[in-house]
Amino acid sequence: MKSDKISEAVVRRLPVYLRFLNELHTREIATVSSQELGQKLDLNPAQIRKDLAYFGDFGRKGIGYDVPYLIEKIRHILKLDQPLNVALVGAGNLGHALSNYNAYLQDTMKITAIFDSYKPKVGQKINSLVVQPMEELGSTIREQGIRIAIITVPEFEAQNVADTLVESGIEAILNFAPVILKTPSNIRIHAADFTTDLQSLAYYLQDGKEESEHEKQ
Amino acid sequence: MKSDKISEAVVRRLPVYLRFLNELHTREIATVSSQELGQKLDLNPAQIRKDLAYFGDFGRKGIGYDVPYLIEKIRHILKLDQPLNVALVGAGNLGHALSNYNAYLQDTMKITAIFDSYKPKVGQKINSLVVQPMEELGSTIREQGIRIAIITVPEFEAQNVADTLVESGIEAILNFAPVILKTPSNIRIHAADFTTDLQSLAYYLQDGKEESEHEKQ
DNA sequence: TAGATTGTTAATCGATTAACAATC
DNA sequence: TAGATTGTTAATCGATTAACAATC
């Protein structure tokens, strides 16, 4: 296949494939079929083959996919085969927590700068990074060539932070604040708001447990 | 419209509507149109009308939606109009961070119990909750009528924790661990893994910035 | 009454899945 | 050669959007 415009759904599955492939690699499994992948990841094998075929012919008919080779390919597609510095804005509990995850981020992707507007926070050390004041956001982003930022500030600050990030040339934002950020269309934003996640989960609870009366359907 | 089977995409938008409606309510705005909602939330107005119409006729032609009334309705649909206790399993940095968000969770939804398997953690106080040992998971879930759990344990523990939660009668899980959990089909699971989020963001970075050579397309 | 806006049907668009020839 | 599994086309399914009659 190759090319076409790739849908976001496809792109979002690639890291999931990658994660499992890495596990297979650790277990020294050399080859995997779309069938096996699908079973493990709860996906249709045809979908997996189609997803991968958007980017190239990575498999071998009758055999399956070579694990190390496919890892290399997906890492390249996701640009995880080059150094990628990430900025974290908001050094509260959540920011602190996320800064621990560098190890899960595929060696080349790394949180390399942390910012906070709250003066007493500035200068504190979090996992060997010194919290910087917001005033240094622009210059640090440019100096370190940071292209992705994570927003973990309170909701009322989030839009301001996003504006500053955009001005500083950031290309993509992962937003944990519970607001819809307005940014130019060339900036990629993912919402990572767990409160809306939890609230939508509540919908699926069985009816009539904590309740008492009528309530049919 | 009413009934039909509601798609997950629809359910996931409801909390977003609710959040903005609450903001309007605070600003004492009494009425809102699908047009205005769509503009603020970056959604098609027809989609919003259709989403809401699945659950009832909440609007008034020529007028729009009454804000307090729609809030009440959405809260009911999402079961956020009844007390809903949530368990948090994993009292590490991330669990600690999430436990601060009770305020954002709509008064009736609340994290009311925290568990950790690491003995020195047990007994510590986190936001007025005492960390409990894993052994008490089942009994506390039953006693408190907990129906939703959040998993913030390391990946290698996550499946075990999920199994225990399922045995204890939990109905829905929000999983922050970077693994695909296997559970019975009647258990609702949402993945909230920010590492895959970040990795998929990298895909959208402009090509040829940090790189040097060829690399066409 | 004229203008606004809903709820809903029909049209469109896009994503998932099935099926199968190609081939290892 | 027989069995397995890919890449891809076609079929299906589902979600989004447009359009508009109903009506406040």
Side-chain angles (χ1 to χ4, degrees), chain B residues 85-104:
Chain B
N85 293 345
V86 176
L88 186 56
V89 188
N93 274 290
L94 186 57
H96 197 135
L98 300 186
S99 73
N100 294 132
Y101 280 72
N102 267 339
Y104 287 90

PDB file of all heavy atoms in Angstrom, chain B residues 85-104:
ATOM      1  N   ASN B  85     -18.025   5.439  44.751  1.00  0.00           N
ATOM      2  CA  ASN B  85     -16.704   5.329  45.365  1.00  0.00           C
ATOM      3  C   ASN B  85     -15.709   4.664  44.432  1.00  0.00           C
ATOM      4  O   ASN B  85     -16.033   3.706  43.739  1.00  0.00           O
ATOM      5  CB  ASN B  85     -16.804   4.525  46.660  1.00  0.00           C
ATOM      6  CG  ASN B  85     -17.599   5.254  47.711  1.00  0.00           C
ATOM      7  OD1 ASN B  85     -17.844   6.462  47.586  1.00  0.00           O
ATOM      8  ND2 ASN B  85     -18.013   4.535  48.747  1.00  0.00           N
ATOM      9  N   VAL B  86     -14.508   5.200  44.427  1.00  0.00           N
ATOM     10  CA  VAL B  86     -13.461   4.710  43.542  1.00  0.00           C
ATOM     11  C   VAL B  86     -12.276   4.244  44.381  1.00  0.00           C
ATOM     12  O   VAL B  86     -11.912   4.892  45.361  1.00  0.00           O
ATOM     13  CB  VAL B  86     -13.009   5.828  42.575  1.00  0.00           C
ATOM     14  CG1 VAL B  86     -11.849   5.375  41.702  1.00  0.00           C
ATOM     15  CG2 VAL B  86     -14.183   6.309  41.721  1.00  0.00           C
ATOM     16  N   ALA B  87     -11.686   3.114  43.989  1.00  0.00           N
ATOM     17  CA  ALA B  87     -10.477   2.633  44.652  1.00  0.00           C
ATOM     18  C   ALA B  87      -9.266   2.941  43.791  1.00  0.00           C
ATOM     19  O   ALA B  87      -9.331   2.882  42.562  1.00  0.00           O
ATOM     20  CB  ALA B  87     -10.569   1.131  44.891  1.00  0.00           C
ATOM     21  N   LEU B  88      -8.177   3.265  44.464  1.00  0.00           N
ATOM     22  CA  LEU B  88      -6.926   3.543  43.765  1.00  0.00           C
ATOM     23  C   LEU B  88      -5.932   2.464  44.185  1.00  0.00           C
ATOM     24  O   LEU B  88      -5.673   2.302  45.379  1.00  0.00           O
ATOM     25  CB  LEU B  88      -6.443   4.935  44.184  1.00  0.00           C
ATOM     26  CG  LEU B  88      -5.235   5.566  43.536  1.00  0.00           C
ATOM     27  CD1 LEU B  88      -5.405   5.646  42.033  1.00  0.00           C
ATOM     28  CD2 LEU B  88      -5.051   6.971  44.115  1.00  0.00           C
ATOM     29  N   VAL B  89      -5.412   1.720  43.220  1.00  0.00           N
ATOM     30  CA  VAL B  89      -4.469   0.669  43.567  1.00  0.00           C
ATOM     31  C   VAL B  89      -3.080   1.046  43.053  1.00  0.00           C
ATOM     32  O   VAL B  89      -2.855   1.112  41.843  1.00  0.00           O
ATOM     33  CB  VAL B  89      -4.885  -0.691  42.974  1.00  0.00           C
ATOM     34  CG1 VAL B  89      -3.992  -1.798  43.521  1.00  0.00           C
ATOM     35  CG2 VAL B  89      -6.352  -0.976  43.286  1.00  0.00           C
ATOM     36  N   GLY B  90      -2.181   1.293  43.985  1.00  0.00           N
ATOM     37  CA  GLY B  90      -0.841   1.766  43.645  1.00  0.00           C
ATOM     38  C   GLY B  90      -0.632   3.157  44.220  1.00  0.00           C
ATOM     39  O   GLY B  90      -1.144   4.119  43.688  1.00  0.00           O
ATOM     40  N   ALA B  91       0.105   3.241  45.322  1.00  0.00           N
ATOM     41  CA  ALA B  91       0.259   4.523  46.012  1.00  0.00           C
ATOM     42  C   ALA B  91       1.604   5.165  45.705  1.00  0.00           C
ATOM     43  O   ALA B  91       2.194   5.854  46.536  1.00  0.00           O
ATOM     44  CB  ALA B  91       0.079   4.333  47.512  1.00  0.00           C
ATOM     45  N   GLY B  92       2.097   4.933  44.503  1.00  0.00           N
ATOM     46  CA  GLY B  92       3.339   5.591  44.078  1.00  0.00           C
ATOM     47  C   GLY B  92       3.078   7.038  43.732  1.00  0.00           C
ATOM     48  O   GLY B  92       2.034   7.605  44.073  1.00  0.00           O
ATOM     49  N   ASN B  93       4.023   7.638  43.033  1.00  0.00           N
ATOM     50  CA  ASN B  93       3.898   9.045  42.665  1.00  0.00           C
ATOM     51  C   ASN B  93       2.629   9.333  41.886  1.00  0.00           C
ATOM     52  O   ASN B  93       1.935  10.303  42.140  1.00  0.00           O
ATOM     53  CB  ASN B  93       5.089   9.469  41.793  1.00  0.00           C
ATOM     54  CG  ASN B  93       6.262   9.904  42.642  1.00  0.00           C
ATOM     55  OD1 ASN B  93       6.214  10.941  43.276  1.00  0.00           O
ATOM     56  ND2 ASN B  93       7.290   9.086  42.674  1.00  0.00           N
ATOM     57  N   LEU B  94       2.342   8.475  40.916  1.00  0.00           N
ATOM     58  CA  LEU B  94       1.185   8.717  40.067  1.00  0.00           C
ATOM     59  C   LEU B  94      -0.111   8.578  40.864  1.00  0.00           C
ATOM     60  O   LEU B  94      -0.989   9.435  40.783  1.00  0.00           O
ATOM     61  CB  LEU B  94       1.190   7.749  38.874  1.00  0.00           C
ATOM     62  CG  LEU B  94       0.107   7.984  37.836  1.00  0.00           C
ATOM     63  CD1 LEU B  94       0.159   9.396  37.278  1.00  0.00           C
ATOM     64  CD2 LEU B  94       0.231   6.966  36.700  1.00  0.00           C
ATOM     65  N   GLY B  95      -0.207   7.511  41.645  1.00  0.00           N
ATOM     66  CA  GLY B  95      -1.390   7.318  42.470  1.00  0.00           C
ATOM     67  C   GLY B  95      -1.596   8.505  43.404  1.00  0.00           C
ATOM     68  O   GLY B  95      -2.702   9.034  43.525  1.00  0.00           O
ATOM     69  N   HIS B  96      -0.506   8.923  43.997  1.00  0.00           N
ATOM     70  CA  HIS B  96      -0.540  10.073  44.890  1.00  0.00           C
ATOM     71  C   HIS B  96      -1.088  11.297  44.162  1.00  0.00           C
ATOM     72  O   HIS B  96      -1.968  12.001  44.652  1.00  0.00           O
ATOM     73  CB  HIS B  96       0.873  10.347  45.395  1.00  0.00           C
ATOM     74  CG  HIS B  96       0.920  11.218  46.598  1.00  0.00           C
ATOM     75  ND1 HIS B  96       1.709  10.969  47.683  1.00  0.00           N
ATOM     76  CD2 HIS B  96       0.257  12.371  46.884  1.00  0.00           C
ATOM     77  CE1 HIS B  96       1.542  11.921  48.588  1.00  0.00           C
ATOM     78  NE2 HIS B  96       0.665  12.780  48.124  1.00  0.00           N
ATOM     79  N   ALA B  97      -0.576  11.530  42.968  1.00  0.00           N
ATOM     80  CA  ALA B  97      -1.017  12.686  42.182  1.00  0.00           C
ATOM     81  C   ALA B  97      -2.514  12.615  41.889  1.00  0.00           C
ATOM     82  O   ALA B  97      -3.247  13.581  42.060  1.00  0.00           O
ATOM     83  CB  ALA B  97      -0.226  12.770  40.883  1.00  0.00           C
ATOM     84  N   LEU B  98      -2.971  11.450  41.463  1.00  0.00           N
ATOM     85  CA  LEU B  98      -4.384  11.320  41.091  1.00  0.00           C
ATOM     86  C   LEU B  98      -5.306  11.514  42.283  1.00  0.00           C
ATOM     87  O   LEU B  98      -6.425  12.010  42.139  1.00  0.00           O
ATOM     88  CB  LEU B  98      -4.636   9.952  40.457  1.00  0.00           C
ATOM     89  CG  LEU B  98      -3.848   9.650  39.184  1.00  0.00           C
ATOM     90  CD1 LEU B  98      -4.293   8.329  38.585  1.00  0.00           C
ATOM     91  CD2 LEU B  98      -3.993  10.752  38.150  1.00  0.00           C
ATOM     92  N   SER B  99      -4.819  11.115  43.461  1.00  0.00           N
ATOM     93  CA  SER B  99      -5.677  11.218  44.640  1.00  0.00           C
ATOM     94  C   SER B  99      -6.019  12.671  44.971  1.00  0.00           C
ATOM     95  O   SER B  99      -6.924  12.942  45.743  1.00  0.00           O
ATOM     96  CB  SER B  99      -5.008  10.556  45.848  1.00  0.00           C
ATOM     97  OG  SER B  99      -3.940  11.350  46.310  1.00  0.00           O
ATOM     98  N   ASN B 100      -5.310  13.605  44.363  1.00  0.00           N
ATOM     99  CA  ASN B 100      -5.606  15.023  44.584  1.00  0.00           C
ATOM    100  C   ASN B 100      -6.774  15.534  43.761  1.00  0.00           C
ATOM    101  O   ASN B 100      -7.207  16.662  43.935  1.00  0.00           O
ATOM    102  CB  ASN B 100      -4.386  15.891  44.189  1.00  0.00           C
ATOM    103  CG  ASN B 100      -3.197  15.648  45.084  1.00  0.00           C
ATOM    104  OD1 ASN B 100      -2.086  15.462  44.608  1.00  0.00           O
ATOM    105  ND2 ASN B 100      -3.444  15.625  46.377  1.00  0.00           N
ATOM    106  N   TYR B 101      -7.254  14.709  42.840  1.00  0.00           N
ATOM    107  CA  TYR B 101      -8.214  15.223  41.884  1.00  0.00           C
ATOM    108  C   TYR B 101      -9.673  15.030  42.267  1.00  0.00           C
ATOM    109  O   TYR B 101     -10.553  15.247  41.463  1.00  0.00           O
ATOM    110  CB  TYR B 101      -7.951  14.610  40.498  1.00  0.00           C
ATOM    111  CG  TYR B 101      -6.823  15.283  39.780  1.00  0.00           C
ATOM    112  CD1 TYR B 101      -5.503  15.111  40.188  1.00  0.00           C
ATOM    113  CD2 TYR B 101      -7.070  16.131  38.701  1.00  0.00           C
ATOM    114  CE1 TYR B 101      -4.461  15.745  39.541  1.00  0.00           C
ATOM    115  CE2 TYR B 101      -6.038  16.764  38.046  1.00  0.00           C
ATOM    116  CZ  TYR B 101      -4.735  16.570  38.468  1.00  0.00           C
ATOM    117  OH  TYR B 101      -3.718  17.200  37.823  1.00  0.00           O
ATOM    118  N   ASN B 102      -9.893  14.602  43.493  1.00  0.00           N
ATOM    119  CA  ASN B 102     -11.281  14.401  43.916  1.00  0.00           C
ATOM    120  C   ASN B 102     -12.154  15.606  43.588  1.00  0.00           C
ATOM    121  O   ASN B 102     -13.302  15.455  43.177  1.00  0.00           O
ATOM    122  CB  ASN B 102     -11.345  14.109  45.414  1.00  0.00           C
ATOM    123  CG  ASN B 102     -11.310  12.618  45.686  1.00  0.00           C
ATOM    124  OD1 ASN B 102     -11.626  11.818  44.804  1.00  0.00           O
ATOM    125  ND2 ASN B 102     -10.912  12.244  46.892  1.00  0.00           N
ATOM    126  N   ALA B 103     -11.596  16.790  43.756  1.00  0.00           N
ATOM    127  CA  ALA B 103     -12.374  17.999  43.546  1.00  0.00           C
ATOM    128  C   ALA B 103     -12.902  18.103  42.117  1.00  0.00           C
ATOM    129  O   ALA B 103     -13.963  18.666  41.880  1.00  0.00           O
ATOM    130  CB  ALA B 103     -11.527  19.221  43.871  1.00  0.00           C
ATOM    131  N   TYR B 104     -12.168  17.546  41.172  1.00  0.00           N
ATOM    132  CA  TYR B 104     -12.564  17.644  39.769  1.00  0.00           C
ATOM    133  C   TYR B 104     -13.578  16.573  39.380  1.00  0.00           C
ATOM    134  O   TYR B 104     -14.046  16.531  38.266  1.00  0.00           O
ATOM    135  CB  TYR B 104     -11.344  17.490  38.852  1.00  0.00           C
ATOM    136  CG  TYR B 104     -10.441  18.680  38.845  1.00  0.00           C
ATOM    137  CD1 TYR B 104      -9.387  18.774  39.741  1.00  0.00           C
ATOM    138  CD2 TYR B 104     -10.643  19.714  37.938  1.00  0.00           C
ATOM    139  CE1 TYR B 104      -8.543  19.880  39.737  1.00  0.00           C
ATOM    140  CE2 TYR B 104      -9.811  20.815  37.922  1.00  0.00           C
ATOM    141  CZ  TYR B 104      -8.765  20.893  38.817  1.00  0.00           C
ATOM    142  OH  TYR B 104      -7.939  21.974  38.805  1.00  0.00           O
TER     143      TYR B 104
END
